[in-house]
Amino acid sequence: MKAIAFVGTHSSGKSTLIDAYLSAHSGTDITVIRGITRAIIRRGFPMEKSSTVDSFTNYIRDQLQAERTARGNAQGMLFSDRTVIDAAAYAKVNTNLPRPFVPQYFVDMLLEVALLEASRYDLFVYCSAEFPMQPDPFRPTDEPYRQQVGDQVKAFLTEHRIRHIIATGDVETRLKNLTQAIFTLHG
């Protein structure tokens, strides 16, 4: 089984790219992990700019549990729409906000968990924030914040030499590059 993580800031096209791949390869056995962040918000834990230690703890638990369950059931490929590396990037950017909600030692721990988790993925797909944000009650609309988070995700991937591709361009271009990268993995 090949595991692929889709990472990047909010409204950067991760879900759209996953859906495009699923549509283009409808006969492929793919298990998808998605909706973790929204489920946590629905349970009453703030995310993004207002994230707390409890928010991130719930995210880590739910994400790792979803991965464990999916790996136990998946036969073909595993796609994850976000990973702990996204949470670590949000937490890192949030330390620069006027009121940090998460202490630095916790941000450091998030990154360590993210790096352990990353070793279980064959490829990360970094989706850059090239599209206008879509209206959504779950996402902050602060464009500089969105860019900072995206830059931090990319920095973590680069600094820690995590195998990744960068998804840029329109959906068709991103899909073509993703398809080629997956083909290469199966090489």
Side-chain angles (χ1 to χ4, degrees):
M1 177 184 71
K2 298 294 182 186
I4 301 169
F6 294 77
V7 296
T9 191
H10 51 284
S11 200
S12 61
K14 296 178 300 295
S15 298
T16 301
L17 182 55
I18 290 170
D19 291 342
Y21 190 90
L22 294 173
S23 179
H25 303 279
S26 59
T28 307
D29 183 12
I30 302 172
T31 300
V32 181
I33 298 170
R34 62 171 67 190
I36 304 288
T37 301
R38 290 172 191 268
I40 291 166
I41 293 168
R42 282 192 292 274
R43 289 198 315 258
F45 295 96
M47 293 300 287
E48 272 74 5
K49 283 182 149 184
S50 300
S51 296
T52 63
V53 168
D54 287 343
S55 303
F56 287 122
T57 302
N58 272 268
Y59 180 83
I60 292 168
R61 182 201 59 218
D62 290 5
Q63 178 67 31
L64 296 180
Q65 183 178 55
E67 289 176 14
R68 182 177 43 79
T69 301
R71 286 176 186 279
N73 298 328
Q75 300 297 314
M77 287 193 292
L78 171 65
F79 283 3
S80 185
D81 187 346
R82 291 193 178 271
T83 68
V84 178
I85 205 159
D86 295 281
Y90 277 96
K92 177 74 172 170
V93 170
N94 287 0
T95 61
N96 297 319
L97 296 177
R99 180 179 165 240
F101 292 95
V102 179
Q104 185 61 49
Y105 71 84
F106 194 85
V107 175
D108 295 341
M109 187 272 306
L110 273 171
L111 181 57
E112 290 301 323
V113 171
L115 295 174
L116 283 172
E117 177 198 37
S119 69
R120 302 191 70 198
Y121 282 92
D122 299 291
L123 179 68
F124 277 70
V125 179
Y126 169 75
C127 294
S128 59
E130 300 174 354
F131 308 112
M133 281 188 278
Q134 299 299 311
D136 185 331
F138 292 101
R139 297 175 176 156
T141 58
D142 182 341
E143 184 61 37
Y145 178 73
R146 179 171 86 132
Q147 291 297 324
Q148 289 173 352
V149 171
D151 291 346
Q152 188 60 62
V153 171
K154 188 176 179 184
F156 282 156
L157 293 171
T158 303
E159 289 168 15
H160 298 284
R161 296 186 177 114
I162 297 170
R163 183 177 184 182
H164 68 280
I165 62 169
I166 299 174
T168 61
D170 61 17
V171 176
E172 287 182 25
T173 302
R174 289 177 177 209
L175 177 59
K176 179 182 172 188
N177 293 335
L178 173 61
T179 302
Q180 180 60 45
I182 291 173
F183 178 78
T184 303
L185 279 179
H186 291 291

